[in-house]
Amino acid sequence: MQQKIHQGRNIKRFREMLGIKQEVLAHELGEDWSQKKISLLEQRELIEEDILKQVSQILRIPVEAIQNFDEEQAVNVISNTFNKEAFIGNSGAIFNIDPIEKLIQLHEEKIALYERMLKEKDEMMARLERLIGG
């Protein structure tokens, strides 16, 4: 029996792995979104294609990752594939990307996102102050 993929849970997993809060994802998705709406989205098993595309662009992961990731299957593959000898014997061939470089890249992207959000917050505060005559 094939296990169903829970797309909302996958969004939550990827979002958390990338260190992105629900509020940040909601902000990036637009005015119609809130932290509560993201929380509800992450509880849904199936998600509309257009929303999946938007989320995948923001998280910078393929839509297929959200649609197909099965944590149990991934754990089984890892536990059945990697043993001490396989890891030591093939350590150069297993990883094609430098995890430190990827981590630095993700960190820089997160900093840029937070800086953009802070700038927008400051602009919004200035507009509010002008509106209330402060």
Side-chain angles (χ1 to χ4, degrees):
M1 185 171 125
Q2 190 173 6
Q3 189 171 347
K4 286 190 176 185
I5 304 295
H6 195 290
Q7 294 175 350
R9 199 173 303 129
N10 286 345
I11 288 175
K12 180 177 181 178
R13 284 187 183 110
F14 287 117
R15 178 184 57 74
E16 289 175 343
M17 281 190 271
L18 294 169
I20 297 173
K21 295 189 175 289
Q22 289 179 331
E23 294 87 354
V24 174
L25 182 57
H27 176 78
E28 289 294 311
L29 282 168
E31 292 180 10
D32 295 339
W33 288 86
S34 64
Q35 178 273 325
K36 178 69 176 168
K37 197 168 175 182
I38 296 296
S39 179
L40 294 172
L41 178 75
E42 291 176 349
Q43 294 173 28
R44 292 177 34 206
E45 189 171 322
L46 290 175
I47 298 170
E48 296 83 4
E49 187 79 22
D50 61 323
I51 295 173
L52 281 178
K53 285 180 183 177
Q54 290 174 20
V55 170
S56 74
Q57 287 175 341
I58 292 166
L59 299 180
R60 294 189 173 130
I61 59 171
V63 174
E64 295 79 16
I66 297 170
Q67 293 171 323
N68 300 321
F69 181 74
D70 180 354
E71 185 176 34
E72 188 175 317
Q73 190 175 29
V75 169
N76 287 338
V77 167
I78 292 168
S79 64
N80 291 329
T81 304
F82 296 105
N83 57 44
K84 188 176 179 183
E85 294 79 24
F87 185 75
I88 292 170
N90 297 318
S91 59
I94 292 175
F95 301 104
N96 295 333
I97 59 167
D98 182 0
I100 301 295
E101 286 298 318
K102 184 65 176 168
L103 187 62
I104 290 169
Q105 177 191 353
L106 290 172
H107 182 68
E108 289 171 352
E109 290 172 2
K110 186 164 66 169
I111 288 172
L113 175 63
Y114 284 126
E115 287 173 349
R116 220 171 46 242
M117 288 181 60
L118 285 173
K119 182 181 175 196
E120 288 181 27
K121 179 199 67 109
D122 290 342
E123 290 170 358
M124 185 180 292
M125 293 299 291
R127 275 185 275 158
L128 285 172
E129 286 175 358
R130 283 194 303 270
L131 283 173
I132 59 175

